[in-house]
Amino acid sequence: MATRTKRSGSQLSPDQIIEAVLRIAERGGSDAFTVRRLGEELGADPTAIYRHFRDKDELLLSVADRAFGEAIDGIPAGLGWKDRLRALAAGSLRVALKYPVVVSMTASRTTRREREFLIVEFILECVHEAGLQGAEAALLYRSFGDALLAFIGQTAAFRLFDPDVQAGDLAAWAREYRTLDPARFPHITRLSDELAAVDEQEIFDVRVEAMVSEIERRAALTSRRRAAPAPAEPSEPA
């Protein structure tokens, strides 16, 4: 009986390993970073992975950097700063839905790699184009990036729950919240239909637009401060 020969580490490349993790993650696998599962996917001795990555954390960050790079790929040229930020946000959400295990594990991390640097440069360019510089530009970049990562990380983590758990949580707005005592929870019961009707995309859009609006508001304030005439020097007493 023929047996499958496993490849050695010398026959693999870092790119092949990263792509294998992403394939498992895209299929919905929550075990994409286990050495055993990766070995099966690659047809290789599981320990071969450590010839290319120091440990699982280095692999995790390398995979995350590749995945998040997809968020910036394909953003068309010629967009204004607001539409570029919206496009980046939409791309980031797509990445979270495509690779939930990757994003759920890394949304709170810093990859310190090429594609992350490109995304940071991209957002700072947008903030600068809006009219912000210095410490305020740094703050608004961090605020936009962290708000975006928080949402997509939460979204990705939710996708990893058992489908029955997801369905139960989503149905709570139409079930448990509708049965609350209106004397104790008047605002919830008054808006029970509206709360049940809100969907994830609407929430995401509101959060992105809130950040874009805040950048625009602060840029307008900065512009007005720059345009304001300098206060007159006090005159010398006669």
Side-chain angles (χ1 to χ4, degrees):
M1 180 177 176
T3 58
R4 184 179 180 183
T5 302
K6 291 190 174 183
R7 289 180 289 176
S8 68
S10 61
Q11 294 173 306
L12 293 173
S13 70
D15 278 348
Q16 287 174 313
I17 296 169
I18 290 170
E19 288 161 8
V21 175
L22 292 175
R23 285 196 303 272
I24 300 169
E26 188 172 4
R27 294 197 296 265
S30 60
D31 57 350
F33 291 99
T34 64
V35 173
R36 179 192 59 78
R37 182 69 187 85
L38 265 176
E40 292 174 355
E41 182 73 19
L42 290 161
D45 183 333
T47 61
I49 293 160
Y50 296 118
R51 297 190 185 182
H52 301 280
F53 297 95
R54 180 177 62 254
D55 51 29
K56 281 188 182 180
D57 198 59
E58 185 181 20
L59 174 61
L60 174 69
L61 296 179
S62 298
V63 170
D65 200 62
R66 177 74 62 84
F68 282 117
E70 293 186 16
I72 200 170
D73 291 343
I75 294 178
L79 297 178
W81 69 267
K82 289 186 279 189
D83 284 335
R84 295 206 302 280
L85 289 178
R86 291 172 182 133
L88 177 64
S92 299
L93 183 58
R94 284 194 297 272
V95 167
L97 297 175
K98 185 177 180 181
Y99 309 119
V101 67
V102 175
V103 174
S104 67
M105 294 177 70
T106 59
S108 60
R109 299 294 304 277
T110 301
T111 72
R112 307 181 294 280
R113 285 161 169 78
E114 178 72 11
R115 291 169 180 84
E116 178 180 87
F117 299 148
L118 290 172
I119 291 172
V120 173
E121 181 70 13
F122 180 92
I123 299 173
L124 285 172
E125 180 183 51
C126 291
V127 171
H128 179 77
E129 187 177 314
L132 296 176
Q133 298 177 6
E136 197 163 31
L139 172 63
L140 270 293
Y141 147 67
R142 288 291 305 272
S143 299
F144 180 87
D146 287 0
L148 179 58
L149 288 168
F151 185 91
I152 67 171
Q154 176 185 351
T155 299
F158 184 73
R159 291 300 188 280
L160 296 176
F161 288 126
D162 184 275
D164 290 340
V165 174
Q166 294 184 44
D169 284 357
L170 292 172
W173 296 106
R175 288 194 317 235
E176 288 85 354
Y177 276 80
R178 289 182 187 273
T179 65
L180 295 175
D181 179 2
R184 292 188 63 201
F185 305 102
H187 295 291
I188 292 177
T189 53
R190 190 178 301 122
L191 291 177
S192 59
D193 290 341
E194 291 82 357
L195 287 169
V198 173
D199 67 34
E200 188 177 74
Q201 186 63 49
E202 289 178 307
I203 297 169
F204 180 71
D205 292 342
V206 166
R207 293 178 73 164
V208 172
E209 289 307 311
M211 285 306 310
V212 170
S213 296
E214 180 62 9
I215 293 169
E216 189 172 36
R217 185 187 73 83
R218 290 192 179 222
L221 287 174
T222 298
S223 179
R224 286 198 292 271
R225 285 197 298 267
R226 289 172 182 163
E233 293 289 333
S235 58
E236 293 290 332

